[in-house]
Amino acid sequence: MGFKQDFVWGAATASYQIEGAAYEGGKGLSNWDVFCKQPGNIYENHNGDVACDHYHHLAEDVALMKELGIKAYRFSFSWPRLMPQGTGTVNPDGIRFYQTLIDELLQNGITPYATLFHWDYPYALQKRGGWLNPASPQWFAEYTETIIGLFGNKIKHFFTFNEPQCFIGLAFTGREMAPKLQVTRRDILQMAHNVLLAHGKAVQLLRAGVPGCKIGYAPTGSTYIPASNSAQDIEAARKATFTVDVNGDWPMGISWWSDPIFFGEYPAEAAQAFGDDMPAIGPNDMKIISQPLDFYGHNIYNSTPVKMGENGQPVVQAFKPGHPRTAVNWPITPEGLYWAPKFLHQRYKLPVIITENGLSCHDVVSLDGKVHDPNRIDFTQRYLQQLQRAAQDGVEVDGYFHWSLMDNFEWAKGYSERFGLIYVDFETQKRTPKDSFYWYASIINSNGSLL
Ligand code: GBH
């Protein structure tokens, strides 16, 4: 018994990371366009102006997806490409671009899984205060309605947000993400509340506007694995996964975001500890935020081992010297793809979709013209085996999206990290499927039985 028959094998990308055409086709400015132009923000001052030039290589890229054999493609809409000012006017060239993409996907038998927002925020709205503006949930609602009106007849699977942990949690604690501002805890809590409201409103609109559609969101958040198989260590890992670290990196955690969405309330102890910094919560807010979803999405790359301490609190365990790491130095922890889905499924009681998982390798085109990436194959095999083990243990796992379909603009790390199954030469835009591409194709084709 492995993955279910209709398991969704996919690959993922995001608009700013692949599209390019940043100043073409009527697109408005995004916060990332602006952020990349400020020296020092991005590795060697790279930017997403051209990226993979997917805007002009769309048919070729979908043909590669078809060759890969993915059943589903997770991509994101660029809000400023569709609505250059964030609200109001809709850009005809943007509409055409996504219409063509969606049609190509459907013609090739690939189901579109659309993320409404993967970080490229309209700069026009950022200037108006962005997520701190009380109107920001309504702006997002208008954007969602626009998407429903344009594409709701063809897309049936949606994610609202990608990783609020990053576009709020990292971005507003002064770390690596646009607009990289350091604001007060009070402001972060207010922005988080507005993002959650925006999410809830979008879900309400999608339910009404796209009958029968399936909706989730794609958070990340630190996940933990037990250092041994003892019941105590397993409990420690679960506890660490869902504890709100009020004096630490709580915006990077899971529960502050997911508990309101799935339980309709903020984690009580933490809310109390935040005291006067808590935002005002309107009478209907929690109801709006906690609209039922169809699956629990999670982007997972690595996890942290913990043991249960004497005092009943989880204690983080250091990795042994020489513990395997990816090119970007993240530890390789395949068991995370067993424990995280298990814990998430137990807590939130929904089928789990791995909305992102993958790694960067410092790939090269070899003399034989191929890209040999045994590390990516090994990593993915190990992680998928663990996901399969979770499925065998009764965790409802609906799908897996590899990050990423192709090498792309890796945010603050520019083009220095390659996460793709397809190698992209950023000078010539030549695409070369890596060895892992053919390996993943065989795994998909066997529905995981070759793992
Ligand atoms: C995702 O975010 C994004 O959705 C995607 O756009 C991006 O390209 C992709 O991942 C690859 O980066 O401190 O060493 O333990 C990733 C979120 C949060 C994952 C921080 C790694 C910590 C690594 N990341 N996390 S470490």
Side-chain angles (χ1 to χ4, degrees):
M1 237 275 302
F3 295 111
K4 49 167 85 162
Q5 269 317 309
D6 55 355
F7 188 78
V8 181
W9 296 97
T13 63
S15 48
Y16 189 72
Q17 295 181 271
I18 64 164
E19 284 180 7
Y23 302 94
E24 253 182 86
K27 174 180 159 295
L29 277 181
S30 80
N31 58 342
W32 274 91
D33 293 315
V34 177
F35 185 66
C36 289
K37 296 294 152 78
Q38 294 171 313
N41 283 339
I42 312 291
Y43 173 83
E44 290 187 351
N45 297 319
H46 295 171
N47 59 58
D49 287 4
V50 179
C52 308
D53 202 24
H54 173 66
Y55 191 76
H56 298 113
H57 288 73
L58 184 158
E60 180 187 351
D61 292 339
V62 176
L64 284 165
M65 293 179 213
K66 166 127 177 149
E67 191 184 343
L68 179 57
I70 48 176
K71 313 268 180 250
Y73 173 52
R74 176 176 172 240
F75 68 98
S76 77
F77 288 110
S78 162
W79 187 346
R81 186 178 299 288
L82 279 172
M83 302 174 85
Q85 297 303 312
T87 59
T89 315
V90 183
N91 169 29
D93 283 356
I95 300 175
R96 255 195 304 277
F97 170 67
Y98 290 114
Q99 202 75 66
T100 314
L101 171 65
I102 295 160
D103 288 344
E104 284 279 334
L105 289 169
L106 293 173
Q107 276 158 22
N108 285 284
I110 301 165
T111 307
Y113 277 60
T115 305
L116 300 183
F117 179 72
H118 194 132
W119 307 358
D120 43 355
Y121 195 70
Y123 188 60
L125 297 183
Q126 187 170 306
K127 284 196 286 188
R128 294 163 69 184
W131 292 110
L132 209 47
N133 191 313
S136 57
Q138 200 43 49
W139 298 337
F140 189 72
E142 187 190 328
Y143 166 57
T144 304
E145 272 190 295
T146 305
I147 288 180
I148 293 170
L150 292 169
F151 313 116
N153 56 337
K154 293 185 176 164
I155 303 187
K156 302 295 170 202
H157 299 83
F158 294 92
F159 300 105
T160 55
F161 287 105
N162 186 71
E163 302 188 349
Q165 284 86 353
C166 294
F167 76 83
I168 300 293
L170 293 176
F172 292 96
T173 53
R175 287 178 284 177
E176 78 184 272
M177 295 294 169
K180 199 175 176 179
L181 296 173
Q182 217 152 358
V183 306
T184 59
R185 179 168 81 176
R186 190 192 183 86
D187 282 355
I188 296 178
L189 286 163
Q190 182 66 64
M191 284 190 271
H193 192 65
N194 290 342
V195 166
L196 289 170
L197 276 174
H199 160 87
K201 282 173 185 272
V203 178
Q204 286 178 321
L205 291 165
L206 286 164
R207 288 275 179 239
V210 188
C213 73
K214 304 272 188 211
I215 315 172
Y217 90 122
T220 185
S222 321
T223 52
Y224 295 82
I225 46 181
S228 82
N229 275 333
S230 76
Q232 293 92 315
D233 288 353
I234 293 171
E235 198 37 46
R238 182 200 318 275
K239 194 166 176 183
T241 300
F242 298 115
T243 297
V244 182
D245 186 6
V246 284
N247 297 312
D249 207 1
W250 62 270
M252 283 305 290
I254 292 173
S255 302
W256 192 257
W257 303 99
S258 287
D259 283 15
I261 287 179
F262 296 97
F263 300 153
E265 43 189 58
Y266 282 109
E269 255 179 63
Q272 209 178 355
F274 291 148
D276 289 348
D277 283 349
M278 278 295 285
I281 297 176
N284 287 322
D285 286 7
M286 300 317 289
K287 204 169 158 243
I288 295 172
I289 290 171
S290 59
Q291 298 302 305
L293 295 184
D294 300 295
F295 32 72
Y296 192 98
H298 202 73
N299 296 349
I300 178 162
Y301 290 84
N302 58 280
S303 309
T304 304
V306 289
K307 266 191 162 326
M308 186 60 95
E310 303 272 289
N311 58 358
Q313 295 303 324
V315 183
V316 168
Q317 304 294 297
F319 289 106
K320 302 251 167 12
H323 184 92
R325 286 179 180 269
T326 68
V328 69
N329 214 28
W330 299 348
I332 298 179
T333 53
E335 320 80 62
L337 229 51
Y338 172 76
W339 291 107
K342 188 166 186 152
F343 293 155
L344 290 166
H345 182 62
Q346 284 170 346
R347 185 177 178 89
Y348 297 117
K349 314 241 177 317
L350 283 178
V352 173
I353 294 186
I354 304 303
T355 33
E356 286 178 26
N357 169 250
L359 76 163
S360 69
C361 301
H362 290 162
D363 302 310
V364 295
V365 181
S366 291
L367 285 172
D368 63 4
K370 299 182 175 161
V371 180
H372 304 295
D373 58 343
N375 290 356
R376 181 167 289 103
I377 294 174
D378 184 69
F379 174 105
T380 311
Q381 180 160 20
R382 287 174 191 269
Y383 275 68
L384 279 173
Q385 282 176 351
Q386 293 293 327
L387 187 64
Q388 193 173 36
R389 180 158 80 96
Q392 280 157 357
D393 268 20
V395 178
E396 236 183 300
V397 191
D398 277 7
Y400 170 91
F401 289 83
H402 194 80
W403 185 273
S404 176
L405 176 71
M406 55 185 155
D407 296 339
N408 57 48
F409 177 75
E410 177 51 26
W411 307 113
K413 299 189 179 69
Y415 299 99
S416 66
E417 299 296 337
R418 296 183 174 275
F419 275 85
L421 295 163
I422 299 169
Y423 183 95
V424 177
D425 179 328
F426 295 105
E427 293 295 308
T428 62
Q429 293 302 337
K430 182 171 191 281
R431 276 93 163 117
T432 308
K434 302 177 188 178
D435 288 355
S436 58
F437 175 100
Y438 300 106
W439 174 83
Y440 188 44
S442 74
I443 297 301
I444 296 173
N445 192 40
S446 76
N447 197 35
S449 65
L450 287 180
L451 278 169

